[in-house]
Amino acid sequence: MMRQGPLFLLSALALLLLFVLALPAGRAQETAPTPEVPEAPTIPEITFSIQFGTEGTPRNFATNLQILFLLTVLALAPSILIMMTSFTRIVVVLSFLRQAMGTQQAPPNQVLVGLALFLTLFVMMPTWNRIHQEALQPYLANEITQPEMFRRALGPIREFMFRQTRERDLALMVRLSQRPNPATPDDVPTHVLIPAFIISELKTAFQLAFLLYLPFVVIDIVVASALMSIGVLMLPPLMISLPLKLLLFVLADGWNLLVGSLVRGFQ
């Protein structure tokens, strides 16, 4: 029993030491904060509803449809401006002029389109004044209805397109639409008149472009022949012909002649 006393005492001290060492670790595990889980992002809800008037009639719905129609017309305004006015002919001729002179990107596209827009505004101003006086003003004064306003506004535009449309192009579109031959211009639908007008405008623009190309092509031929005759083959002819083209265009007052021809073509 005396021999087992020290061994028992040593065993008890060892167990007590292990218990003391393990106690802080257990408390640290118990007091450790739990990590926070991030919340999932919320997606806002979008609802769409149709509300009727207070009297049970779809008055508000009709108003919303009118607003939607107006926004659609505003979105299609560039196409209407391009296809039903003088813009097509003017911008095509100006583009061919730049190619004929060989000036690459001078004048830039912004300048050509801006000039075409203002020339279109100048050419179409009498037509728009008629639309303002005959359709818009009576409608704002509550003298005519909205369908009547659209009918009156379409009249001056149709007259303008009829003046610039060739009979052959109009006959082509009438045949393609499989409609009987119209007796009067009023019998031609607008959806038949518009493509015929565009075809005529493109043909007129290409004719003007051909006349523009002739003097510049002559300059190119003369410069190329002169360089070949003196044996200068490594020099590009464009370096010599481009200044001559610019000089010819400036001396002939080309912008005055070109713009005057374009505007007089619509009168």
Side-chain angles (χ1 to χ4, degrees), residues 214-224 240-242 244-245 248:
L214 285 180
F216 300 117
V217 169
V218 171
I219 293 177
D220 288 335
I221 294 175
V222 171
V223 171
I240 306 299
S241 63
L242 180 57
L244 296 178
K245 291 178 183 179
L248 174 64

Side-chain angles (χ1 to χ4, degrees), residues 228-266:
M228 291 182 63
S229 62
I230 62 178
V232 183
L233 301 179
M234 300 302 295
L235 181 64
L238 183 60
M239 295 184 62
I240 306 299
S241 63
L242 180 57
L244 296 178
K245 291 178 183 179
L246 294 177
L247 180 63
L248 174 64
F249 192 76
V250 171
L251 293 178
D253 201 1
W255 289 112
N256 189 300
L257 295 176
L258 179 62
V259 173
S261 299
L262 287 173
V263 174
R264 283 192 293 268
F266 292 101

Side-chain angles (χ1 to χ4, degrees), residues 1-10:
M1 297 298 293
M2 296 299 293
R3 292 180 181 179
Q4 294 179 356
L7 295 176
F8 178 78
L9 182 59
L10 291 176

Side-chain angles (χ1 to χ4, degrees), residues 12-108:
L13 291 175
L15 291 175
L16 181 61
L17 180 61
L18 290 176
F19 178 77
V20 171
L21 293 176
L23 183 61
R27 290 181 179 178
Q29 292 179 359
E30 292 177 359
T31 59
T34 57
E36 296 182 357
V37 180
E39 297 182 358
T42 58
I43 301 176
E45 297 181 359
I46 300 176
T47 59
F48 177 79
S49 62
I50 299 176
Q51 297 181 357
F52 294 94
T54 56
E55 300 178 357
T57 59
R59 183 178 305 172
N60 293 338
F61 183 64
T63 304
N64 294 335
L65 286 181
Q66 292 178 358
I67 296 175
L68 179 62
F69 176 75
L70 179 60
L71 293 177
T72 304
V73 172
L74 292 177
L76 296 178
S79 301
I80 297 174
L81 176 64
I82 291 174
M83 298 305 173
M84 300 177 63
T85 61
S86 59
F87 181 83
T88 302
R89 183 193 304 186
I90 295 174
V91 74
V92 169
V93 171
L94 293 178
S95 300
F96 272 116
L97 172 65
R98 185 175 63 182
Q99 294 179 8
M101 296 181 64
T103 55
Q104 302 299 327
Q105 296 297 324

